[in-house]
Every structure is written in C-alpha cells, then in structure tokens.
Amino acid sequence: MGKIIIFSTATGGGHNQTAEVLSSELRLACHDVEIIDYIQASSQFLDMIINGGYNHVLSKTGKTYGLLYSTSQRVPVNNSVSYILKGFLARHIRTLAEEKQADLIISTHPLIVKTLGDMKQTGKLDTPVMSVITDFEAHRFYVHPRIDAYVVPSRHTGENLCSYGISPTKIHINGIPVRSEFFERSMRKRSSTFTALVMAGTHSSSELLDVLEQMVITDEKLNIIAVCGTNDRLRERLENRFNCLPDNINLEICGYIKEIASAMDRAHVVITKPGGITVSEAINKAVPLVIPFWITGQEEENLRFLVDKGVAIGIEDNQNIEAVISILIHEPHHLKRMENQMRLLAVGYSNERTIKLAERLMAEKLAHRKTMII
C-alpha cells in the first residue's frame, strides 16, 4: 500500500473531478490517498487571485480568459508566472510531501507542475510525480522534463508534449480518468425518437437557454434531456420558459444527476461545451458531440481537435442547431461515422492502466531507495 497525494484546485470542476476519480480507483487498489487543494493550502492570497479570479473572469467574458490563456503560452510570460507561483508553492509542497511521507504525487492541474519539476531538479523533492492532462492540448504550464510520467487523452496531446521536449517514454495515452460507469458497454436504451442530452457548464447558463430556444422550434419529433447541474436558478428559469411546448417536443429538465452515464445511453447526441471530462465521458460511451458554445482557450483547442477527429460538430451560430439536428435525424450515417471514430479514439483508454502506472512509479522509487541503502 502506497501513500499518494493528489494536487488539484477549483479552477473549473474538471480538475477536481479527475482527482476524485483517481482517488476512488487508487483506494480500491488499497492505497492511502489524500486530495489537497494546493492553492488553498499554500496561500489565501493566491487562492483569491487564481480561483477567485478565474470565476470572476469567466463570469464576465470568455474572451478575457482566452487572452490570458494565449498570453501565458509565450515562453517569457510562462516562465515568469511559473517563477512567481514557485515562490508561493514550493515551501508548502515540500512540507506536505515530508509530513505525509508521500510515495507518489499526482497533479491534475497545470499550475503546480513546473514547481514540482523544479523542486525535483534542485533536489528539494525526491517523490515521483505523475501529471494528468485534462484537455486535448497540453498548455506550456504542464511541461517540465523532470516529471516522471504524463497521462494524456490522445496521441495528439502526446505529440504536443514531445514538441516541447518531453520524452515519449514518459507519455501514456490512457485517457482522462472518468468514472467506471462510462467504460461500461451496456446496451443502449435509445428511444425510436431522436434524443439529445443537453448540458451546460457553470458559466454557460445563458447559452443553454439560447440552444433550447432554437431546438424547440423544430418540426421534428424530439426528446430533450436538459441538465442544469447545481444551478437551481437556471432550472427554475427553464421550467418557467418551457412550460408549454408543442406535442412533437418532450423536454425533461433535470438538476444535478449522478446518472449521466445512463442519460448518455439514452441519447443519440450530447450537446455541451467541450470540457475535457464531459467530452471524455461521451467518447467512452461513443455518443456523438454537438458543440454550440465554448470559451476561447483550452475549450476552443479541444473543439478544434474533436472536429478534426470527426467526433464532434461545432456550431458557431445557435440558429443553425435546428438544421443540424434535422440532418442527423434524416441522415443517421453521420452519427454512425462519428460513433466509429469515437471508438477508435477511445482505444487504450483505461483507468486500470493509469493505476498500474502509479504503482510502477512507486515500486521504482522503493527499489531505488533500497539500492541507495545497500
């Protein structure tokens, strides 16, 4: 049994969700796991700037976030930000690693990776580090040659890391860790009526409303499952707006539901933003994606990758969504092609392989220590 620390933080729910999945899987394998929000643990000021700032910027405009994202890809800016972050983080991380006697550190968030790599390079940390990349494009913040292993969602992501100088031997295309039910190849429970699962992120409530406005005007017979998550205000707003619909539309409005995998089994398409976690869940379930909203930055990069791989349709004008749905209903071969592409993309996706990788890194560390003692 190994002691494992997973570093994450709350800039978007995906990083923490990935951490929770890994924690659950590692505990099933009898390891002692602790998830730590490294931003909160290190500095209240840093928490206010990064987590508070992230939510504030996205609540105002995605374009501002996109500008910050692209600017931080530039080497001088990236190095400067990483240096400042290390000043806040390094001492706390070293203390945590020593106090917890960690056998492995896993990061599901990019902003800590260079600090961990620098600490290993300068001998201030001897614990193996695994970085899990939760998008299909690797931001420069993820990149450090002293990271022991990278878990990535695609060959493209791996090639992206290699272009930054990361050794291919450190890259493992195991997919973004998602809950086990998304790996189940259960029989589809699809209705004969075309069914769309529509989901919005925390900052996409107005976009979800716009999409539904366009979908319900169709003449096609259509089932819609709209998931609002924990946004009770959005749910109430939708219930009031769509309380009277034509007979050809069946709209099911849900709040937070745990059974997203079951909802995907019912769906012909998933209509959502291109966040790495939701996209990976859909890929594992082979449910084609229609993407009508995204923010500039990693979501835009994810969308470009998904469209290029033939597993998603991007829609820049929500007024076109009715036409897209109509085409998919009457020309189902498009859906079949997208499903097949998703199955190809998911080859090699495995939580078990990621757990075995973690165990191998811990075993190598133990063997190295025994050699040093001898």
Coordinates of all heavy atoms in Angstrom, one line a residue, residues 76-111:
P76 N 8.4 33.7 -22.3 CA 8.8 34.6 -21.2 C 7.7 34.8 -20.2 O 8.0 34.9 -19.0 CB 9.1 36.0 -22.0 CG 9.3 35.6 -23.4 CD 8.5 34.4 -23.6
V77 N 6.5 34.9 -20.6 CA 5.4 35.1 -19.7 C 5.2 33.8 -18.8 O 5.0 33.9 -17.6 CB 4.1 35.4 -20.4 CG1 2.9 35.5 -19.5 CG2 4.2 36.7 -21.2
N78 N 5.2 32.7 -19.5 CA 5.0 31.4 -18.8 C 6.1 31.2 -17.8 O 5.8 30.8 -16.6 CB 5.0 30.3 -19.8 CG 4.6 28.9 -19.2 OD1 5.4 28.2 -18.7 ND2 3.3 28.6 -19.3
N79 N 7.4 31.5 -18.1 CA 8.5 31.3 -17.2 C 8.3 32.3 -16.0 O 8.6 31.9 -14.8 CB 9.8 31.6 -17.9 CG 10.2 30.4 -18.8 OD1 9.6 29.3 -18.7 ND2 11.1 30.7 -19.7
S80 N 7.9 33.5 -16.2 CA 7.7 34.5 -15.2 C 6.6 34.1 -14.2 O 6.8 34.1 -13.0 CB 7.4 35.9 -15.8 OG 8.5 36.3 -16.5
V81 N 5.5 33.7 -14.8 CA 4.4 33.3 -13.9 C 4.7 32.0 -13.1 O 4.4 31.9 -11.9 CB 3.1 33.0 -14.8 CG1 2.0 32.4 -13.9 CG2 2.6 34.3 -15.4
S82 N 5.4 31.1 -13.7 CA 5.8 29.9 -13.0 C 6.8 30.2 -11.9 O 6.7 29.6 -10.8 CB 6.5 28.9 -14.0 OG 5.6 28.5 -15.0
Y83 N 7.7 31.1 -12.1 CA 8.7 31.5 -11.1 C 7.9 32.1 -9.9 O 8.2 31.8 -8.7 CB 9.7 32.5 -11.7 CG 10.7 33.0 -10.7 CD1 11.8 32.2 -10.4 CD2 10.6 34.2 -10.1 CE1 12.8 32.7 -9.5 CE2 11.5 34.7 -9.1 CZ 12.6 33.9 -8.9 OH 13.5 34.3 -8.0
I84 N 6.9 33.0 -10.2 CA 6.2 33.6 -9.1 C 5.4 32.6 -8.3 O 5.4 32.6 -7.1 CB 5.2 34.7 -9.7 CG1 6.0 35.9 -10.2 CG2 4.3 35.2 -8.6 CD1 5.2 36.8 -11.1
L85 N 4.8 31.6 -9.0 CA 4.0 30.6 -8.4 C 4.9 29.7 -7.5 O 4.5 29.3 -6.4 CB 3.3 29.7 -9.4 CG 2.1 30.3 -10.2 CD1 1.7 29.4 -11.3 CD2 0.9 30.5 -9.2
K86 N 6.1 29.4 -8.0 CA 7.0 28.6 -7.2 C 7.3 29.3 -5.9 O 7.5 28.6 -4.8 CB 8.3 28.3 -8.0 CG 9.2 27.4 -7.3 CD 10.4 26.9 -8.2 CE 11.3 28.1 -8.5 NZ 12.5 27.6 -9.3
G87 N 7.4 30.6 -5.9 CA 7.7 31.3 -4.7 C 6.6 31.1 -3.6 O 6.9 31.1 -2.4
F88 N 5.4 31.0 -4.1 CA 4.3 30.8 -3.1 C 4.1 29.3 -2.7 O 3.8 29.0 -1.6 CB 2.9 31.2 -3.8 CG 2.7 32.7 -3.8 CD1 3.0 33.4 -4.9 CD2 2.1 33.3 -2.7 CE1 2.7 34.8 -4.9 CE2 1.9 34.6 -2.7 CZ 2.2 35.4 -3.8
L89 N 4.5 28.4 -3.7 CA 4.1 27.0 -3.5 C 5.2 26.1 -3.0 O 4.9 25.1 -2.2 CB 3.6 26.4 -4.9 CG 2.4 27.1 -5.6 CD1 2.2 26.4 -6.9 CD2 1.2 26.9 -4.7
A90 N 6.4 26.3 -3.3 CA 7.5 25.3 -3.1 C 7.6 24.9 -1.6 O 7.7 23.7 -1.3 CB 8.8 25.8 -3.7
R91 N 7.7 25.9 -0.8 CA 7.9 25.5 0.7 C 6.8 24.7 1.2 O 7.0 23.7 1.9 CB 8.1 26.8 1.5 CG 8.3 26.6 3.0 CD 8.7 27.9 3.7 NE 7.7 28.9 3.5 CZ 6.6 29.0 4.3 NH1 6.4 28.1 5.3 NH2 5.7 30.0 4.1
H92 N 5.5 25.1 0.9 CA 4.4 24.3 1.4 C 4.3 22.9 0.8 O 4.0 21.9 1.5 CB 3.1 25.1 1.0 CG 3.0 26.4 1.6 ND1 2.6 26.6 2.9 CD2 3.3 27.7 1.1 CE1 2.6 27.9 3.2 NE2 3.0 28.6 2.1
I93 N 4.7 22.8 -0.5 CA 4.6 21.4 -1.1 C 5.7 20.5 -0.5 O 5.4 19.4 -0.2 CB 4.9 21.6 -2.6 CG1 3.7 22.2 -3.3 CG2 5.1 20.2 -3.2 CD1 3.9 22.7 -4.7
R94 N 6.9 21.1 -0.2 CA 7.9 20.3 0.4 C 7.5 19.8 1.8 O 7.7 18.7 2.2 CB 9.2 21.1 0.5 CG 10.4 20.3 0.9 CD 11.7 21.1 0.9 NE 12.8 20.3 1.2 CZ 14.1 20.7 1.2 NH1 14.3 22.0 0.9 NH2 15.1 20.0 1.6
T95 N 6.9 20.7 2.5 CA 6.5 20.4 3.9 C 5.4 19.3 3.8 O 5.4 18.3 4.6 CB 5.9 21.6 4.6 OG1 6.9 22.6 4.7 CG2 5.4 21.3 6.0
L96 N 4.4 19.5 2.9 CA 3.4 18.5 2.8 C 3.9 17.1 2.4 O 3.5 16.1 3.0 CB 2.4 18.9 1.7 CG 1.4 20.0 2.2 CD1 0.6 20.5 1.0 CD2 0.4 19.4 3.2
A97 N 4.8 17.1 1.4 CA 5.4 15.8 1.0 C 6.1 15.1 2.1 O 6.1 13.9 2.3 CB 6.3 16.0 -0.2
E98 N 6.9 15.9 2.9 CA 7.6 15.3 4.1 C 6.7 14.8 5.2 O 6.8 13.7 5.7 CB 8.6 16.3 4.6 CG 9.8 16.6 3.6 CD 10.7 17.7 4.1 OE1 10.4 18.3 5.1 OE2 11.8 17.9 3.4
E99 N 5.7 15.7 5.5 CA 4.8 15.3 6.6 C 3.9 14.1 6.2 O 3.7 13.2 7.1 CB 3.8 16.5 6.9 CG 4.5 17.6 7.6 CD 3.5 18.8 7.9 OE1 2.3 18.7 7.4 OE2 3.9 19.7 8.6
K100 N 3.5 14.0 5.0 CA 2.6 12.9 4.6 C 3.4 11.7 4.2 O 2.9 10.6 4.0 CB 1.8 13.4 3.3 CG 1.0 14.6 3.5 CD -0.1 14.5 4.6 CE -0.9 15.8 4.7 NZ -2.0 15.7 5.7
Q101 N 4.8 11.9 4.0 CA 5.6 10.8 3.6 C 5.1 10.1 2.3 O 4.9 8.9 2.2 CB 5.8 9.7 4.7 CG 6.5 10.3 6.0 CD 6.7 9.2 7.0 OE1 5.9 8.3 7.3 NE2 7.9 9.3 7.6
A102 N 4.8 11.0 1.3 CA 4.2 10.5 0.1 C 5.1 9.7 -0.7 O 6.3 9.9 -0.9 CB 3.8 11.7 -0.7
D103 N 4.6 8.6 -1.2 CA 5.3 7.7 -2.2 C 5.1 8.1 -3.6 O 5.9 7.7 -4.5 CB 4.8 6.3 -2.0 CG 5.1 5.7 -0.6 OD1 6.3 5.8 -0.2 OD2 4.1 5.3 0.1
L104 N 4.1 8.9 -3.9 CA 3.8 9.4 -5.2 C 3.0 10.7 -5.1 O 2.1 10.8 -4.2 CB 3.0 8.4 -6.0 CG 2.5 8.7 -7.4 CD1 3.7 8.9 -8.3 CD2 1.5 7.7 -7.9
I105 N 3.3 11.6 -6.0 CA 2.5 12.8 -6.1 C 1.8 12.8 -7.5 O 2.5 12.6 -8.5 CB 3.3 14.1 -6.0 CG1 3.8 14.3 -4.5 CG2 2.5 15.3 -6.4 CD1 4.8 15.4 -4.3
I106 N 0.5 13.0 -7.5 CA -0.2 13.1 -8.8 C -0.8 14.6 -8.9 O -1.3 15.1 -7.9 CB -1.4 12.1 -8.9 CG1 -0.8 10.7 -8.8 CG2 -2.1 12.3 -10.2 CD1 -1.9 9.6 -8.8
S107 N -0.6 15.2 -10.0 CA -1.2 16.5 -10.3 C -2.3 16.4 -11.4 O -2.0 15.8 -12.4 CB -0.1 17.5 -10.7 OG -0.7 18.7 -11.2
T108 N -3.4 17.0 -11.1 CA -4.5 17.0 -12.1 C -4.7 18.5 -12.6 O -5.7 18.8 -13.3 CB -5.8 16.5 -11.6 OG1 -6.3 17.3 -10.5 CG2 -5.7 15.0 -11.1
H109 N -3.8 19.4 -12.2 CA -3.9 20.8 -12.5 C -2.5 21.3 -13.0 O -1.5 21.0 -12.5 CB -4.3 21.6 -11.3 CG -4.8 22.9 -11.6 ND1 -3.9 24.0 -11.6 CD2 -6.0 23.4 -11.9 CE1 -4.6 25.1 -11.9 NE2 -5.9 24.8 -12.1
P110 N -2.5 22.1 -14.1 CA -1.3 22.5 -14.7 C -0.4 23.5 -13.9 O 0.9 23.4 -14.0 CB -1.7 23.2 -16.0 CG -3.1 23.7 -15.7 CD -3.7 22.6 -14.8
L111 N -0.9 24.4 -13.1 CA -0.1 25.4 -12.5 C 0.9 25.0 -11.5 O 1.8 25.7 -11.1 CB -1.1 26.5 -11.9 CG -1.9 27.3 -12.8 CD1 -2.7 28.4 -12.1 CD2 -1.1 27.9 -14.0

